Amino acid sequence: MSHSKRTASGANKGSSTSKRARTTCTDPDCTDGSCPDCADGAIHLDPTVLSLPASELLDLAEHEDRTHSDRSIVTSLYEHALSKCTTPELRSRALLRLAEYVGYADYASQAITEANSDVIKGRARVLRVCLDPNNWVDPDAESSEKVEGMDELDKGLKEIESGLSGTEKDVVLDSVVALMGRVEAHELCAPLCNRLTDTALTVSYAVLGWTDHADPADPVDEKDTELAQAASAAAVRWSQSATECSVPGTQIESRLLPVLAYLANQTTNFEACKLRAQIMLVLSGVLDDDDAALRAFDLAVESLLLAHKITPDDMDVVRQLADLDIDTSV
């Protein structure tokens, strides 16, 4: 029986030196039953990686996390980084990352206790609420109209918003991605999903300058673009959960005007076209004005056709167009 080797690679922040974490055995098709790296099924990190300082090891773990490396490797990297952390700043950061990655509330509780950062405390509180099964959708029961742990959720989201005020774009982007990660990790009840995505929109709008007007400027750099895309994804989930929470259609439309204005200019971007279509389909079902609802539906179809033109073999788009009885052969 062959034992595949799991590897992780990443670069130090501010360094061109590539650091690799890997099993000692380098044969990906090793069949030697006496090989210690293959026989015990454990992750054996390269000694060079294990010798890294705590901050560099944590940076590497975060890099492997972002690039969706093997879960066992990422978990091991986080655990080794945590074991090396001695300052409250590093320990709380490592605890939060590990808690979010493996979904473990005890690590989140430790992060709250040790952190000085409002953002870390807030994200840890939000994680604990999201890990409560009472806040997950039960297909065999009625949808929950309340959030278990609402006080903790309120406190956590306020800490996130206040902590992110005036911080760097990459820190805001990281927290927006983390909030959306919680939404994707479990099927959360609509009120909880709505609160998380609303906060994601709020902090994104503030950094992008989308707060006070509905005609956003084009992103000025790569971080702006990434944040605009993350905000657009959050907008889709917010619109869907807002509908479940019976938010009026005009209020949903008003909240999303900056995102819709941004997406309207992204006609050559496949993902942007798909996201705009999803929002417009939601609006077509919740706007009371018939003309506005029909216009939203037409824009949804237009966006789906643009997405289909860019990537004809995307089956999600193909199925949606078929469900809407739209002929793509024209």
Side-chain angles (χ1 to χ4, degrees), residues 225-240:
T225 299
E226 290 182 43
L227 187 56
Q229 292 171 342
S232 300
V236 173
R237 297 304 300 267
W238 182 85
S239 68
Q240 294 166 342

Side-chain angles (χ1 to χ4, degrees), residues 85-317:
C85 292
T86 56
T87 66
E89 179 184 5
L90 275 181
R91 273 191 56 81
S92 59
R93 176 181 152 200
L95 282 165
L96 174 67
R97 292 295 192 183
L98 188 54
E100 289 179 331
Y101 193 71
V102 302
Y104 190 45
D106 284 353
Y107 286 146
S109 298
Q110 291 180 57
I112 294 170
T113 301
E114 300 188 26
N116 294 317
S117 161
D118 280 348
V119 174
I120 289 179
K121 288 181 179 180
R123 280 169 53 172
R125 292 188 206 281
V126 168
L127 176 62
R128 292 202 304 190
V129 174
C130 292
L131 290 177
D132 185 344
N134 291 314
N135 290 322
W136 302 349
V137 172
D138 183 349
D140 298 322
E142 290 186 11
S143 299
S144 175
E145 296 183 359
K146 68 174 185 176
V147 177
E148 293 292 333
M150 180 62 83
D151 289 344
E152 180 166 34
L153 178 67
D154 286 339
K155 186 173 184 178
L157 293 177
K158 287 178 182 176
E159 287 172 328
I160 291 172
E161 287 192 36
S162 65
L164 290 176
S165 178
T167 58
E168 298 87 352
K169 292 176 186 176
D170 57 345
V171 177
V172 176
L173 175 62
D174 182 67
S175 288
V176 170
V177 170
L179 287 170
M180 293 306 296
R182 302 275 50 88
V183 172
E184 302 300 335
H186 300 285
E187 189 174 359
L188 302 175
C189 63
L192 179 52
C193 179
N194 190 252
R195 291 294 306 280
L196 299 189
T197 50
D198 189 68
T199 296
L201 289 177
T202 296
V203 297
S204 298
Y205 281 14
V207 172
L208 292 167
W210 292 2
T211 304
D212 299 321
H213 54 82
D215 188 19
D218 290 334
V220 297
D221 56 32
E222 184 179 349
K223 289 298 179 184
D224 270 357
T225 299
E226 290 182 43
L227 187 56
Q229 292 171 342
S232 300
V236 173
R237 297 304 300 267
W238 182 85
S239 68
Q240 294 166 342
S241 61
T243 300
E244 292 185 58
C245 294
S246 301
V247 177
T250 53
Q251 189 173 326
I252 295 175
E253 182 181 38
S254 177
R255 177 66 164 143
L256 300 182
L257 284 177
V259 171
L260 291 171
Y262 164 73
L263 291 174
N265 294 325
Q266 308 301 310
T267 55
T268 60
N269 184 302
F270 172 72
E271 288 298 331
C273 290
K274 282 182 67 176
L275 293 171
R276 185 180 186 226
Q278 306 320 306
I279 295 173
M280 286 302 178
L281 284 174
V282 170
L283 290 177
S284 71
V286 298
L287 291 173
D288 292 329
D289 182 86
D290 289 343
D291 289 339
L294 183 58
R295 173 63 176 161
F297 179 81
D298 289 342
L299 289 174
V301 172
E302 175 186 295
S303 296
L304 283 172
L305 287 172
L306 283 171
H308 180 66
K309 182 178 180 180
I310 297 168
T311 310
D313 58 350
D314 185 86
M315 293 311 299
D316 285 339
V317 172

